[in-house]
Amino acid sequence: MSADRRPSRRQVLRWLGVGAGVVVVGGTAARAGDQGLFAPRTGPAYAAWHEHPSGVRGVVAAAVLAASAHNMQNWRFRLDGGAIEVSDDLTRSLGVVDAHRREAHLGIGCAVANAEVAAPALGLAPDLVVLPGAGVLARLALAPHDRLPVDGLDAAIVDRHSDRGPYPAEVPSTPLLDDVRSVALSGSERVDIVWVTGTAALARLGRLLTDAAQALVDDERMSIDNAALVRYDHGQVERRMDGLTMDAQGMSAFMTVAAQLAPAVPRHQADASWVSATRSVHTATARAYALVVGDRDDVATRVHAGRAVQRLHLALVARGWAMQHMNQAVEMAERDVLTGTADRFDGPLSDLAGGRVVTVVRAGRPSGRAVPSPRRPVSQVLG
Ligand SMILES: Cc1cc2nc3c(=O)[nH]c(=O)nc-3n(C[C@H](O)[C@H](O)[C@H](O)COP(=O)(O)O)c2cc1C
């Protein structure tokens, strides 16, 4: 190259800048493609939300759309004549976060609730028996029937998602809370639902839940197991079809895209973000909390509690409201017993509820950030 045609230093820098820009844009676009951002929630991991088989298989298809802790989907279904038997899949676990499988059993109750609600529209009359102890936890007999009233909750099954976004300032009225509470408890035994409302009580429970989130991340073992089902990688979502995805965390659109484009953040950073969201979003905008009360150590009670809380969620969604489970205070209450730590959470929860708390949720109007989470298909869970 002759001296006069040699590029100036400024030109070289400009070309490098353009080149770097192309690489960055190209790299970002490739990463966005890998993370499924161009067609969000459309792959096989989300197919369960759109497929509606008929008959008994349709009942199981509704069951798998239920909530489960960390979206672990610890359910197994078996057809036995005209009934569905539901058992707890012990291979799916939250480790020390759910050492006694309280949340696993709640998840079974959630699945049973969806199954029961869906059955009449599929021409099947459901008859639920919750069984004590291990093995099969619930049996749902389904008798063909041609004229059944369809529960108003049925349509909410596909619209129900855990809503972790901020809830606008509207406070739910007492008649609304009474109404959804009675829908939730209809057919549920052994449990009650206590609403926590009013500025002082909301603030008190909000502080307790934030303290519990901080205590959880300060406990290294809890923090590790709590993070195990967080899915940063879209490929993993497609393969595993479970877990907590970035786009279901209720963040703003900008933060959701950024979180999906960025590599997985270190665990301690994710923990700090969760505690911060608990303080400044989840508890700060909770308009009511429901405390489900019962004998926390009894398996059948946990299944009934899961059934009630799933029905509560469906009832709220059917009326245009949103819900998020918030279990950290109960998790830490159980953890404190295991580690021999003086009680920090059980006493205050019981004071608020007037009984032993099995699980906690918050409610409010949605701000439009809830989206579906992945699901394993019926073929994987029906044995
Ligand atoms: C027993 C139980 C405990 C849960 N605990 C929490 C919780 O503490 N925080 C939270 O944000 N979601 C919690 N969830 C919600 C699940 O993460 C959620 O159901 C799952 O990711 C599937 O998403 P979906 O509910 O939108 O279908 C819980 C759900 C259940 C059934």
Side-chain angles (χ1 to χ4, degrees):
M1 191 184 288
S2 67
D4 57 342
R5 302 196 62 193
R6 196 179 296 154
S8 68
R9 192 163 167 264
R10 181 177 294 176
Q11 273 175 317
V12 170
L13 287 174
R14 195 180 303 138
W15 291 340
L16 282 177
V18 170
V22 168
V23 170
V24 169
V25 172
T28 307
R31 170 88 180 143
D34 289 347
Q35 288 290 80
L37 287 177
F38 296 130
R41 300 178 294 281
T42 50
Y46 295 89
W49 292 99
H50 311 291
E51 288 166 2
H52 309 294
S54 57
V56 176
R57 210 179 167 81
V59 175
V60 179
V64 305
L65 300 182
S68 64
H70 290 220
N71 198 18
M72 69 170 155
Q73 301 168 47
N74 56 298
W75 36 62
R76 295 282 325 165
F77 302 91
R78 202 178 76 85
L79 303 185
D80 178 32
I84 300 174
E85 291 181 341
V86 194
S87 40
D88 180 17
D89 180 350
L90 298 175
T91 64
R92 306 183 79 82
S93 151
L94 301 185
V96 297
V97 173
D98 190 29
H100 305 300
R101 293 196 79 75
R102 174 185 52 84
E103 295 187 27
H105 298 151
L106 282 159
I108 297 295
C110 292
V112 163
N114 264 19
E116 247 184 315
V117 165
L122 294 159
L124 296 163
D127 184 14
L128 174 68
V129 180
V130 175
L131 301 159
V136 177
L137 299 185
R139 184 180 161 84
L140 189 68
L142 296 161
H145 203 296
D146 54 4
R147 254 193 289 137
L148 280 168
V150 173
D151 197 321
L153 304 183
D154 179 45
I157 288 178
V158 290
D159 295 333
R160 185 215 58 86
H161 309 299
S162 292
D163 194 329
R164 303 182 177 91
Y167 297 162
E170 187 179 344
V171 173
S173 68
T174 305
L176 173 88
L177 296 180
D178 289 346
D179 174 29
V180 290
R181 174 178 172 276
S182 77
V183 172
L185 291 176
S186 165
S188 288
E189 297 161 19
R190 302 161 185 245
V191 291
D192 197 3
I193 291 176
V194 175
W195 283 112
V196 174
T197 55
T199 314
L202 288 175
R204 195 170 142 207
L205 184 48
R207 276 194 302 277
L208 194 72
L209 292 169
T210 307
D211 290 349
Q214 186 63 55
L216 192 153
V217 303
D218 289 344
D219 179 324
E220 189 76 358
R221 195 64 250 166
M222 288 288 272
S223 163
I224 290 169
D225 287 358
N226 201 44
L229 274 157
V230 178
R231 305 274 181 241
Y232 291 100
D233 176 48
H234 182 64
Q236 203 183 23
V237 172
E238 296 214 303
R239 282 192 306 281
R240 306 289 300 269
M241 303 183 170
D242 63 6
L244 300 168
T245 54
M246 285 301 104
D247 59 354
Q249 298 314 305
M251 296 179 284
S252 67
F254 176 78
M255 286 304 293
T256 300
V257 170
Q260 288 171 286
L261 286 177
V265 293
R267 176 168 50 85
H268 290 112
Q269 201 176 314
D271 281 350
S273 303
W274 175 56
V275 175
S276 166
T278 301
R279 180 182 294 108
S280 62
V281 179
H282 306 160
T283 59
T285 71
R287 306 305 169 193
Y289 292 101
L291 303 177
V292 182
V293 178
D295 177 358
R296 194 160 77 208
D297 301 322
D298 176 58
V299 175
T301 301
R302 297 162 172 183
V303 174
H304 275 294
R307 178 186 181 278
V309 87
Q310 178 76 12
R311 289 178 65 83
L312 181 71
H313 202 169
L314 293 173
L316 283 164
V317 168
R319 290 156 180 74
W321 291 76
M323 198 187 97
Q324 177 193 3
H325 291 254
M326 298 189 72
N327 263 272
Q328 56 266 46
V330 189
E331 288 163 357
M332 286 314 297
E334 292 178 330
R335 181 70 173 158
D336 281 350
V337 174
L338 278 183
T339 56
T341 307
D343 174 43
R344 296 173 284 177
F345 301 103
D346 227 356
L349 277 177
S350 303
D351 284 351
L352 276 161
R356 197 101 188 282
V357 174
V358 185
T359 190
V360 180
V361 306
R362 71 171 180 131
R365 280 282 188 205
S367 55
R369 295 188 186 175
V371 297
S373 290
R375 284 298 189 280
R376 294 187 299 145
V378 169
S379 55
Q380 272 190 31
V381 295
L382 183 58

